[in-house]
Amino acid sequence: MELRELRYFLAVAQEQSITKAAEYLYIAQPSLSKQMQNLEKEIGRPLFVRGSRKITLTETGMLLKKRAEEMMDLYEKTEAEISAPEGDICGDVHIGSGESYAVRTVAKAAKEVMLEHPRIKFDFFSGDANDVTEKLDKGLLDFGILVDYADLSEYNSMRLPLADSWGVLMRKDSPLAEKDTVAPEDLSGQPLICSQQSMEKHGVIKQWFGEISDLNVRAKVNLVYNASVLVREDVGYAVTLARLVNTTGDSDLCFRPISPAIETHLDIVWKKYAVFSKPSECFLNKLREILRSEAPAS
């Protein structure tokens, strides 16, 4: 299986048509059709369901599409790093992170790096811990930012100084908006919107709820913006981190901290024995410099 074949396959998957993909790739349609047939023979399973108007992917085709996109991303990332001119610090730094106010420290380091080296750029990927570690392990990310991740033993890591606090995002006309804080029993039986990670067995919110058995989780999200839309539509109460959604002014939403309070911390991680590009080295050195300068005096 060659990279060229994967490029062609991804074009067919995107265009949902051999003819349109051939036009996009500037190759003959019979040639592309033959190459896709050969790819299916090599894999030993059908990749496409060929309909009268469009082509769709089989289950095997969808898996190959996901893996092919990852392989192409890694190839392009590697090619960009290797082809950088000798002595010239340029290229991209790839960072994956969940949504958190505490990412401000990373943003500060990124800004200072770009001021010193204008040809360095940053590519931020948003996702939960599973998404981030998957891409990190495959080499698609240089760094990951994890919220109170249970096992950091597989990575090198540094703790970021800012902490996040948990609370409940709700409509201002909700009954719980009259309270200063929200306790676990206040949410008993109430429709909830939570992140997948926080509600896993060892997730901080799952543990906070303790023995409450009638949890009514109506929706799970990995982006707080989507949670805020669901809250506005009165789907439920969103248990989330503070300072991610604007609830000031004429907003129809409000945020109430939970009680007992929970604070979470972030760690920036990278693969052990990672071989960094020059831009990634610059970023890590700058982040270390900032963390040293902000560390409290002993």
Side-chain angles (χ1 to χ4, degrees):
M1 194 181 306
E2 300 177 357
L3 285 174
R4 174 177 51 81
E5 291 177 313
L6 293 179
R7 285 198 183 97
Y8 289 176
F9 166 76
L10 288 174
V12 174
Q14 176 181 324
E15 299 295 331
Q16 299 183 319
S17 163
I18 293 285
T19 301
K20 290 181 180 178
E23 293 174 356
Y24 172 78
L25 295 166
Y26 296 102
I27 62 175
Q29 184 270 335
S31 174
L32 179 59
S33 182
K34 182 65 175 177
Q35 290 191 62
M36 292 302 97
Q37 291 172 11
N38 291 339
L39 184 59
E40 288 181 309
K41 288 180 182 178
E42 182 180 350
I43 291 174
R45 294 180 183 177
L47 298 174
F48 307 104
V49 177
R50 294 167 170 84
S52 58
R53 294 192 175 183
K54 68 177 183 178
I55 290 176
T56 57
L57 296 178
T58 63
E59 186 174 343
T60 301
M62 289 187 285
L63 175 60
L64 179 60
K65 180 176 181 289
K66 183 175 186 292
R67 297 293 181 241
E69 289 171 339
E70 292 171 349
M71 291 166 68
M72 295 307 303
D73 286 344
L74 183 57
Y75 173 78
E76 291 171 2
K77 180 176 182 290
T78 304
E79 185 180 46
E81 291 172 354
I82 292 175
S83 62
E86 191 71 27
D88 189 7
I89 302 180
C90 63
D92 293 355
V93 180
H94 299 261
I95 301 175
S97 173
E99 294 178 296
S100 168
Y101 161 82
V103 174
R104 289 184 63 181
T105 305
V106 172
K108 181 178 179 180
K111 178 183 177 181
E112 293 191 16
V113 166
M114 289 187 286
L115 288 174
E116 294 177 10
H117 306 283
R119 296 186 65 190
I120 292 180
K121 298 179 181 179
F122 284 81
D123 185 339
F124 282 88
F125 164 79
S126 295
D128 62 21
N130 292 332
D131 297 329
V132 170
T133 53
E134 180 184 3
K135 287 184 175 291
L136 187 64
D137 293 342
K138 290 177 179 178
L140 299 172
L141 296 174
D142 301 306
F143 302 96
I145 302 172
L146 306 177
V147 180
D148 277 343
Y149 195 64
D151 183 11
L152 296 174
S153 62
E154 297 183 6
Y155 305 102
N156 293 319
S157 66
M158 290 192 302
R159 174 143 291 189
L160 299 178
L162 299 176
D164 277 315
S165 57
W166 285 85
V168 182
L169 185 69
M170 63 187 79
R171 289 164 55 114
K172 286 182 177 177
D173 59 1
S174 299
L176 292 182
E178 298 177 3
K179 300 177 70 68
D180 294 327
T181 61
V182 178
E185 55 270 22
D186 293 326
L187 296 175
S188 177
Q190 297 290 341
L192 302 177
I193 303 162
C194 304
S195 69
Q196 178 72 43
Q197 184 180 343
S198 69
M199 292 301 291
E200 291 175 353
K201 182 178 180 180
H202 299 293
V204 292
I205 296 303
K206 183 71 171 179
Q207 294 183 16
W208 177 76
F209 276 114
E211 300 301 319
I212 293 180
S213 58
D214 60 339
L215 294 181
N216 182 16
V217 179
R218 291 282 184 87
K220 292 182 179 179
V221 298
N222 64 351
L223 294 174
V224 177
Y225 176 77
N226 290 340
S228 71
V229 173
L230 293 172
V231 171
R232 282 193 172 91
E233 294 302 317
D234 207 19
V235 173
Y237 294 95
V239 185
T240 184
L241 295 173
R243 294 176 288 199
L244 295 180
V245 176
N246 182 16
T247 57
T248 61
D250 59 356
S251 172
D252 55 349
L253 302 180
C254 63
F255 184 89
R256 297 291 181 264
I258 61 174
S259 178
I262 296 179
E263 278 195 345
T264 57
H265 297 83
L266 276 80
D267 297 283
I268 185 163
V269 304
W270 59 96
K271 291 173 68 174
K272 288 186 175 180
Y273 315 112
V275 179
F276 283 135
S277 64
K278 290 179 181 178
S280 295
E281 283 184 357
C282 287
F283 167 74
L284 186 56
N285 291 336
K286 180 59 67 177
L287 183 60
R288 283 177 170 148
E289 178 185 319
I290 291 174
L291 294 181
R292 283 195 298 267
S293 68
E294 294 183 351
S298 56

